[in-house]
Amino acid sequence: MPTASDWGGIGLLQTPTARMADEGELSFTASHTSPYSRYTMTLQPMPWLEGSFRYISVANRRYGSESLSGTQNYKDKSIDFKLRLLRESRWIPEVAIGMRDIGGTGLFSSEYLVANKRWGPVDASLGLATGYIGNRGDFSNPLRHIDDRFATRPGYENSTVTAGSLNTSGMFRGPIGVFGGLSYQTPWKPLQLKLEYEGNDYQHEPQYNHQRQRSPINVAATYMPHRNLQLLAGWERGNKAVFGISIHGNLAQARPSPKPLDPPPFNSRAQRAANAAAGAASPRKMATDWPTIAEQLEENAGLRVSRISRKGPELIVTGEQQRYIQPAQGLGRTARVLDASLPNDIDWLTVRNTRAGVPIVETSIKRDVFAAYLDNRATLPQLARNIELGAPPNQYRHTVYEAPLRHFNGEFNVGYRQTLGGPDGFILFQLTGLYTADLHFTQNHWLHGVLSYNAYNNYDKFRYDAPSRLPRVRTHIRQYLTTEDLTLPNLQLTSTAQLGRDLYGMAYAGLLETMYAGVGVELLYRPFGRSWALGWDLNQVRQRDFDQRFSLRDYRVTTGHASLYYSWGTQQKMVGTLSAGRYLAKDWGATVSVARMFNNGVSMGAYATKTNVSSEDFGEGSFDKGIFVSVPFDLMLPRSTRSRANLNWNPLYRDGGARLTRRYELFVLTAERDTDAIRHNLTETTL
């Protein structure tokens, strides 16, 4: 089984291997070899792609001046990736190419090519590297025959000028070092032994922090007391101990936890028999109790009904799914409730799903085939062939029930935010108590608000304001977090509309986010069942005061973007977004975002923004970038929910490339128009 290296990605100790973790793997690794402590998050979004994001603490270097950072160790941020080129076969080794510290300061930057071959319990690796991994420089770079610049590598020993850039000036330059090693899987499955020959001699360390190396041979043992936990202990450089821990899990293979708090699915056969008995006992024809059906649909199927209508033999239920994140699960529970209570002249059951008051998709299921499925006379694939998906039509249907509008709903919650790797402290965090409420005037018009109370934080250490040559549109973060305990992060009026079969619109006004208030509009053209969509948003905003109440500062800006959304792949679904426009600091540019979408609702991805702001004006980081992971709480909780845990990691707060944070986005609200995801779900999930 592939195990983590000191640097977090799959490897031996100091060196990478060509091996990859399973698709969907997420790991957190911490290791220490004096004077370096490394903390790494590694993602495996594709079988052939590994990405790592890391903080390194250097024990014998200080972050900054003692008046600002005290005795805090220097922290370095870095981004790695590894790409598999060849899969192992009988005669061909597994081959990968990778880059370390490509998007960080460049202090530990390196490029490498590595191959692996397995013989029974022994897995051997051999690689070549330029930069940090190959700093010993075993032979000259052959690319020097193409260009003399490849013979030497620009020094990063004491420079942070390129902090956060792609470090392209030094890629594949300098002498080449050889590295490799063996891993041995012992007969005792939890134990793996590692032997490594590294290509770094530690005489070219960043910040002139050179280390003594008695031997390039490193050894270690990896012990796995649990399938999600890896412990490492070893000896490196011939004179230093290494210790590490890695916690990992596969998000793609995660399945929903048992749901003892969910109501059992409606027993439609028993209810039909009871209804038939009641009908035989009463000479009069019993009227359909629509309010009771609507109540049952919300309690058992999670569908908040707004209208029930009929067109010939088809019954149409319009509502918003509030509980079940998997469309098939919500559809199956809805169909069970309806099948138990409706008269026999209804042949088709249709659910008209809405979100934020606008129709998104209609799903129709043939009633007799569904009944056969419940009686085990039809299989799930047979049932799936009798389920139709379509764009909600604009046609007359006879309304048999109109649900009363629920004007108000609210809930208490807990909030958490953190800042990592700053000069004031490695981890600054805040716990808040939240009260979120909605006041609906119609289904399409509502007022949303969030009240936040600071329960606990250590932001009293937060004293550093990052330098900026741009309008301070984000770098006043310290003041926004520390000025008041009781704040109003959001209070906005929102209206939505379906402007055409595939065209949606939204308008909003108020306190839009923590730092900005104003007005805005958004349009989205999303053809039903297509893999692409076009969006446009325009916002006129003004900066809020630091107390996050109703007062405003002088800074104003018009910001907005045109966006192209595109999805591809069936077995490995990807969603890409390209947005171009004007940002909060009045800079112009574009943002690219790519996300891997797994069948269980988990997603992971990365984004990068580049504008017409120079690297010097942007400051440390050179351009905005980050990663994100989204995990449905449904995988963890004992009751079904559509809520999510969202992890967003941005290495630095900077003013360039900053976008307005909008409470609602039409592309997210209309996600159920992606018929590929729904059809796959219908064939994989029991209704």
Side-chain angles (χ1 to χ4, degrees):
M1 178 180 178
T3 56
S5 70
D6 296 355
W7 294 76
I10 297 299
L12 291 172
L13 293 161
Q14 288 290 317
T15 64
T17 66
R19 301 301 181 192
M20 299 279 183
D22 292 336
E23 181 183 22
E25 195 85 3
L26 171 68
S27 68
F28 297 91
T29 302
S31 69
H32 176 76
T33 311
S34 180
Y36 303 117
S37 296
R38 304 177 181 91
Y39 309 94
T40 310
M41 181 172 72
T42 302
L43 304 174
Q44 189 79 37
M46 305 292 285
W48 43 266
L49 176 63
E50 174 190 277
S52 296
F53 308 86
R54 179 183 311 103
Y55 285 94
I56 299 179
S57 176
V58 186
N60 58 354
R61 294 291 185 272
R62 294 297 171 254
Y63 202 111
S65 64
E66 187 173 345
S67 61
L68 175 65
S69 303
T71 59
Q72 185 189 175
N73 297 337
Y74 177 79
K75 302 296 189 301
D76 183 71
K77 312 173 187 73
S78 59
I79 300 174
D80 308 349
F81 83 88
K82 182 168 67 177
L83 183 70
R84 185 172 62 204
L85 302 179
L86 293 174
R87 295 202 67 138
E88 183 179 13
S89 63
R90 182 176 181 182
W91 302 109
I92 297 176
E94 191 137 321
V95 179
I97 188 172
M99 295 185 181
R100 181 177 289 174
D101 200 358
I102 184 176
T105 59
L107 296 180
F108 299 92
S109 64
S110 190
E111 305 79 44
Y112 60 88
L113 180 72
V114 61
N116 271 71
K117 197 74 180 73
R118 189 184 304 277
W119 291 277
V122 177
D123 190 16
S125 65
L126 181 64
L128 304 173
T130 53
Y132 187 82
I133 300 174
N135 264 344
R136 186 175 55 246
D138 295 299
F139 57 90
S140 299
N141 194 325
L143 295 178
R144 73 187 189 282
H145 298 298
I146 301 174
D147 192 318
D148 290 341
R149 289 178 298 176
F150 285 107
T152 58
R153 188 178 185 90
Y156 292 102
E157 287 89 349
N158 197 32
S159 172
T160 57
V161 174
T162 59
S165 69
L166 290 180
N167 307 328
T168 54
S169 62
M171 286 183 180
F172 300 105
R173 292 176 60 180
I176 293 177
V178 178
F179 66 90
L182 304 172
S183 65
Y184 171 66
Q185 177 58 58
T186 67
W188 186 37
K189 189 174 181 180
L191 182 63
Q192 188 176 115
L193 304 179
K194 296 182 176 184
L195 175 68
E196 175 186 74
Y197 175 78
E198 65 171 311
N200 185 11
D201 61 3
Y202 295 91
Q203 297 308 300
H204 304 84
E205 291 299 284
Q207 303 173 317
Y208 301 106
N209 194 12
H210 309 320
Q211 302 294 311
R212 183 187 178 194
Q213 183 189 57
R214 294 183 60 185
S215 170
I217 304 298
N218 303 326
V219 295
T222 298
Y223 173 60
M224 297 186 66
H226 186 272
R227 60 188 178 90
N228 300 120
L229 177 63
Q230 169 192 322
L231 304 176
L232 179 141
W235 196 250
E236 296 185 2
R237 303 181 218 153
N239 55 14
K240 295 293 181 183
V242 57
F243 300 97
I245 181 172
S246 181
I247 301 172
H248 60 95
N250 196 293
L251 298 181
Q253 297 175 9
R255 293 294 176 262
S257 62
K259 299 290 185 282
L261 300 184
D262 278 359
F266 213 75
N267 191 333
S268 56
R269 288 187 295 177
Q271 188 63 45
R272 284 200 309 268
N275 292 342
S282 173
R284 295 185 304 170
K285 183 178 180 180
M286 297 181 62
T288 304
D289 188 352
W290 298 114
T292 298
I293 292 176
E295 183 180 345
Q296 291 171 341
L297 286 171
E298 182 164 4
E299 291 179 354
N300 195 277
L303 187 70
R304 179 169 292 179
V305 176
S306 57
R307 181 183 295 110
I308 300 177
S309 54
R310 180 170 178 172
K311 183 182 179 184
E314 180 185 17
L315 186 85
I316 303 97
V317 178
T318 302
E320 183 169 318
Q321 179 55 246
Q322 301 280 316
R323 186 185 306 157
Y324 297 104
I325 194 170
Q326 298 291 356
Q329 193 175 10
L331 177 64
R333 283 178 170 262
T334 299
R336 281 176 165 86
V337 173
L338 295 176
D339 182 55
S341 307
L342 297 180
N344 293 329
D345 60 343
I346 299 294
D347 296 330
W348 284 89
L349 309 175
T350 296
V351 179
R352 184 181 175 94
N353 281 319
T354 65
R355 193 66 59 191
V358 293
I360 307 300
V361 61
E362 281 195 357
T363 309
S364 301
I365 185 168
K366 205 165 187 308
R367 187 180 181 185
D368 59 348
V369 180
F370 181 71
Y373 170 75
L374 295 180
D375 294 334
N376 297 316
R377 294 181 287 108
T379 63
L380 184 59
Q382 289 173 328
L383 175 61
R385 289 193 292 270
N386 287 273
I387 295 176
E388 298 180 0
L389 300 171
N394 185 15
Q395 59 183 223
Y396 173 77
R397 281 128 172 213
H398 174 64
T399 299
V400 298
Y401 174 72
E402 189 86 28
L405 179 66
R406 297 189 183 186
H407 290 283
F408 182 83
N409 61 75
E411 62 179 3
F412 289 96
N413 216 322
V414 176
Y416 174 79
R417 69 183 303 161
Q418 67 182 20
T419 304
L420 295 177
D424 304 285
F426 181 59
I427 299 179
L428 301 178
F429 68 94
Q430 180 185 52
L431 287 172
T432 56
L434 302 174
Y435 183 72
T436 305
D438 293 294
L439 178 62
H440 278 265
F441 308 106
T442 70
Q443 295 287 352
N444 303 75
H445 310 283
W446 71 96
L447 181 69
H448 175 85
V450 178
L451 189 66
S452 174
Y453 180 73
N454 173 35
Y456 180 80
N457 71 68
N458 65 346
Y459 279 116
D460 58 308
K461 302 177 182 178
F462 202 164
R463 301 185 302 273
Y464 176 70
D465 292 322
S468 180
R469 300 182 184 180
L470 301 172
R472 286 190 174 274
V473 296
R474 289 298 183 199
T475 51
H476 277 312
I477 179 66
R478 178 180 66 86
Q479 289 88 337
Y480 281 101
L481 292 176
T482 59
T483 299
E484 286 289 346
D485 286 335
L486 185 64
T487 62
L488 193 61
N490 180 248
L491 181 65
Q492 73 176 62
L493 182 67
T494 306
S495 296
T496 58
Q498 185 180 24
L499 305 175
R501 181 181 183 272
D502 300 312
L503 183 63
Y504 295 88
M506 179 168 60
Y508 41 91
L511 309 178
L512 303 181
E513 53 139 288
T514 299
M515 299 186 187
Y516 289 91
V519 297
V521 294
E522 183 185 8
L523 293 174
L524 178 72
Y525 179 68
R526 188 169 190 171
F528 185 83
R530 305 296 292 272
S531 59
W532 59 273
L534 297 173
W536 172 80
D537 68 272
L538 182 66
N539 309 276
Q540 176 66 47
V541 297
R542 186 172 169 183
Q543 199 168 46
R544 298 177 63 186
D545 213 342
F546 299 144
D547 62 3
Q548 297 183 57
R549 305 285 174 83
F550 293 98
S551 55
L552 302 174
R553 295 167 60 83
D554 293 334
Y555 185 77
R556 305 167 187 260
V557 63
T558 300
T559 177
H561 292 79
S563 300
L564 168 65
Y565 306 91
Y566 185 72
S567 62
W568 68 93
T570 52
Q571 297 300 317
Q572 297 168 346
K573 187 174 182 62
M574 305 288 293
V575 176
T577 305
L578 173 63
S579 298
R582 194 187 198 206
Y583 294 80
L584 286 172
K586 301 180 181 179
D587 47 337
W588 294 82
T591 299
V592 176
S593 171
V594 179
R596 171 75 165 92
M597 314 295 290
F598 295 101
N599 294 331
N600 59 1
V602 170
S603 63
M604 57 178 65
Y607 71 89
T609 297
K610 184 64 178 175
T611 71
N612 59 349
V613 172
S614 67
S615 297
E616 292 76 15
D617 287 341
F618 186 93
E620 184 184 357
S622 297
F623 63 96
D624 191 41
K625 51 194 170 291
I627 63 168
F628 52 89
V629 178
S630 180
V631 180
F633 276 122
D634 192 68
L635 298 175
M636 301 172 276
L637 298 181
R639 182 178 178 86
S640 294
T641 177
R642 294 179 63 88
S643 299
R644 288 179 166 273
N646 295 308
L647 171 64
N648 298 286
W649 183 78
N650 185 308
L652 294 165
Y653 275 103
R654 287 294 178 264
D655 296 312
R659 296 183 68 172
L660 181 70
T661 302
R662 294 185 292 127
R663 178 71 185 184
Y664 308 103
E665 294 185 11
L666 287 175
F667 186 75
V668 177
L669 293 175
T670 60
E672 290 170 307
R673 289 177 78 85
D674 181 357
T675 57
D676 289 340
I678 297 175
R679 290 188 185 280
H680 179 83
N681 181 248
L682 290 172
T683 58
E684 296 291 328
T685 304
T686 302
L687 275 69

